[in-house]
Structures are given as C-alpha cells and as structure tokens.
Amino acid sequence: MMIARPVILETVIGARSALKEQPGVILVPTMGALHEGHFALVRRALEIGGTVVVSIFVNPLQFGPNEDLAAYPRSFDEDVDTLHAMGVPFVFAPSVEEMYPSGANQIRVSAGRVGELYEGRSRPGHFDGALTVVSKLLNIVRPSTVVFGQKDAQQVYLVRRMIHELNFPVAVEVVEIVRDESGLALSSRNRFLDARETHAARALSQALEAAASSADRGIDAVIAAAQGTLMGESLVALDYLKVANPDTFLPVDDGYRGPAVVLIAARVGSVRLIDNERIVLAG
C-alpha cells in the first residue's frame, strides 16, 4: 500500500487547523539534519499511537553570538523522504519569520538556576531559547505527548520542569541515547568530524564508561577515571565533566550517594559534542 507523503505545515494557523481534529497528537521536536537518533524518537512516537508530528526548525534563540547558526546542518528534503518512508503523517516546518514574526522574542521562558549550569554556562541563554521554542511548539501543535532523547539530558530535565511548573497538559516520553558501533552518541554535528576526529570522539563515551565502572568508589574516583581516559586523546579539548543529581540537576556534593548523571562536553577539532551516562554513586 502506498504511504502518503507527510503534509508539510508551514504556518501556525495551518498547523492548528490541520491538527485540531487529529487524535492523540504526538510531537517529536527536531532541528532537522535527522539521523538514527532522531529516527528512534520517531519510531517511539509511532509505537505510542495517535497522530505523529515531527517539527523541523533550526531555532536561532538557541545559538549564541559566537555560534554559527548558518553552519548548522540542514537536509530538509532528505529528512522528509525518510519520514515519509517511516509513515509520519505531518511535518511542521515553519520559517523563522513565522515563529518570530516580531523578530527575536522579547518575552522568553527562563530556565532558571539549572539553565545557567553545564551547557548553560558554556552557552549563555541557550536553554532560555530552547524552552521558549518548545513552549511555542507545544502551544501551536498542542500534543498529548512530546518525545525527547536522553542525549540532551539537561534539556530534558528543564523541559520536564517547565511542563510541570507551567501546567502544560503534556506527557514527556524520553528515549535512550542511540550510539554507533564504537559507542559514540549520534549527533547531527558528527557529520562535521573527519576520520581522525571520529576516532578521537569515541573518548567521550569511553570516559563515561570509565566513570560508571568507578561509581562504587565515589565521586572522586568517577571524575578521576573519566579524566584519565580523556588525557590520552590529544584531539579532545574538555569543556566540562560534571556529576549531577537527576532530581535537581544540581552538582552532587562529595558525600552524595545514589543515582547521578555524569555530564560531559568537549570539542573534537572544531566540533562541540555532548554526552551523558546515568550511574549510581556508592563508596
């Protein structure tokens, strides 16, 4: 049986009109340049059932003044072709002018204290921009469920917090990190790595594995094990390596015991990558 191509929704009014009578709308927000990590989110959305909408929008509010918005990878036609093959019925792909008709929003969602840590410290304003666009997408598409990936663990925490505190009637579904055969977490930015850099980037997941293997000896052992793994890779420039409490996403103290998230960000050549691993601290 022929699968109909996704309906491309380009306006807020058009999206609301097309989706208002659809049952159980499930939103998968993306910035495009789709890869297997995104497709895992789409497959999960399709498994849940209902009407799946994949948004493709490169959000300028998430990019800082020293980040190259224009260089972010874009592959819209290929993305839609793959979503068509998967059976996705709707793609919401607005222009920047459609999402921000008055220019950059004067009113934004604040990510609060956690939004200033880790990624937020390295990329000031990033999470305010991310939460603002997610809130707009939720208001436009009005899904019953929204699907995110665990790779952006800090973003997932903040989205959940926003949905809870601002009373959005939306469930959050989180899909595990998708990795290649070497353990490297899939990312749209991976396509910018050359062969040597791709090999070097494996050190991030290896550092997380070393951290997890040392979790029974406490936080100092976790950090030391991860840093020791990274020291052997000259192409990797560490930005941060932190351990957070998954309930608060604040840094754990030296005496903490229990579930934790190890967060890592680094530059491999000119490409900035992030990853994380859930552990249980003992010791």
Side-chain angles (χ1 to χ4, degrees), residues 47-59:
E47 288 171 359
I48 294 171
T51 303
V52 174
V53 181
V54 176
S55 65
I56 297 177
F57 178 66
V58 182
N59 177 32

Side-chain angles (χ1 to χ4, degrees), residues 82-143:
T82 304
L83 295 174
H84 169 216
M86 297 180 75
V88 171
F90 292 100
V91 172
F92 180 47
S95 65
V96 172
E97 293 74 22
E98 181 67 18
M99 289 295 279
Y100 304 116
S102 301
N105 274 27
Q106 294 186 41
I107 306 300
R108 303 191 186 190
V109 177
S110 171
R113 180 183 177 190
V114 172
E116 297 175 351
L117 301 174
Y118 323 126
E119 279 297 282
R121 183 179 296 275
S122 297
R123 306 177 65 189
H126 168 71
F127 287 116
D128 289 359
L131 293 186
T132 298
V133 80
V134 170
S135 70
K136 288 173 72 70
L137 290 170
L138 294 179
N139 277 320
I140 294 164
V141 176
R142 297 175 182 174

